[in-house]
Each structure stands twice: as structure tokens, then as C-alpha cells.
Amino acid sequence: MVSMYQLPGFEMFASCRETRRGGGILMYVQKEHVFQREPTFFTSCEALGGAVQVRGARLQLLAVYRPPTSVLAQSKVPVFVRELESAVNSVPRDRDLVIIGDININTLVKQNTDTMLYEDTLSDCGLL
């Protein structure tokens, strides 16, 4: 089914769900850029990561999907945040990091403990 989602001029990288029907995560990188997929170690979300060379700079990409309600989401936010922090801290310091996707944490609710944990952890890792 993944073949249905090809885009001209882009290379697709996929991490499909194996234990459930449907879903997964896709990442598209323009074919002119060399993307090197790297293993991701998340139990609390679906993730896909790697490094891409863009205009002479090496950029780290991490695509994340944390479903709002599912078996994966039953892993509480603190588990996700710990895994995200570990992934961020494993990025070589000479690379910029871009995290994309949907984490399903409502950052508009400032007094929520999940929101504060998530935002404080990103800040501690030097991310905006």
C-alpha cells in the first residue's frame, strides 16, 4: 500500500505499523539530497529519523507521530518525553535538528503537567 503514496522528485521513507491495521509514518526527502536513515528507539510513538546533507550542512531529521488515543498513547507522556530527550541528546553536536510531526500534547494549556514536562525538556535540550 505504501507505493500509493509516491511523490515525483521525492524519495519516501516509511515505518509502517506491523502489529495493527493501518497507520505508520512517512518521510519525504527531495531526491537531490542524500538521506541516511538511522535507527530510532521509541516505544511510546512512531518515529523515523536520519541525517540529510543540504547545501553542505548535515541536518538531523526526526519525524514523530504520537497517537492521541491508542495502545501507543497509553504510554504516558513522561515515557515519550524521556525517549525524545534521549533521541535529542544522541544527535551529534555538529548537526542542526528538526523535529516534525504530531505529538498530541496540547501546548496551549500551560498549567498542564504534561505540557510543562515536554516544554521544559525541549528547553533543557536547547530546542525552541
Side-chain angles (χ1 to χ4, degrees), residues 27-84:
M27 181 187 299
Y28 293 90
V29 177
Q30 284 184 323
K31 288 185 177 181
E32 67 187 64
H33 304 298
V34 177
F35 179 75
Q36 180 181 347
R37 188 169 176 177
E38 298 172 356
T40 55
F41 302 100
F42 284 87
T43 61
S44 59
C45 69
E46 297 168 5
L48 184 63
V52 64
Q53 196 79 19
V54 178
R55 297 185 189 105
R58 197 142 166 95
L59 183 66
Q60 194 74 23
L61 301 178
L62 179 61
V64 176
Y65 176 63
R66 185 180 166 275
T69 55
S70 72
V71 173
L72 288 176
Q74 290 174 5
S75 296
K76 301 296 182 207
V77 170
V79 174
F80 167 73
V81 170
R82 277 194 308 272
E83 291 176 341
L84 181 62

Side-chain angles (χ1 to χ4, degrees), residues 62-111:
L62 179 61
V64 176
Y65 176 63
R66 185 180 166 275
T69 55
S70 72
V71 173
L72 288 176
Q74 290 174 5
S75 296
K76 301 296 182 207
V77 170
V79 174
F80 167 73
V81 170
R82 277 194 308 272
E83 291 176 341
L84 181 62
E85 180 179 28
S86 178
V88 168
N89 287 331
S90 72
V91 174
R93 295 293 174 213
D94 64 336
R95 296 185 194 167
D96 288 325
L97 171 65
V98 176
I99 301 173
I100 56 176
D102 187 354
I103 56 150
N104 283 300
I105 297 173
N106 187 351
T107 58
L108 297 176
V109 180
K110 296 300 181 187
Q111 297 306 313

Side-chain angles (χ1 to χ4, degrees), residues 1 3 10 16 20 35 50 68 76 88 93 96 103 116 127:
M1 291 304 264
S3 62
F10 289 83
C16 297
R20 298 185 326 205
F35 179 75
K76 301 296 182 207
V88 168
R93 295 293 174 213
D96 288 325
I103 56 150
M116 291 188 306
L127 298 175

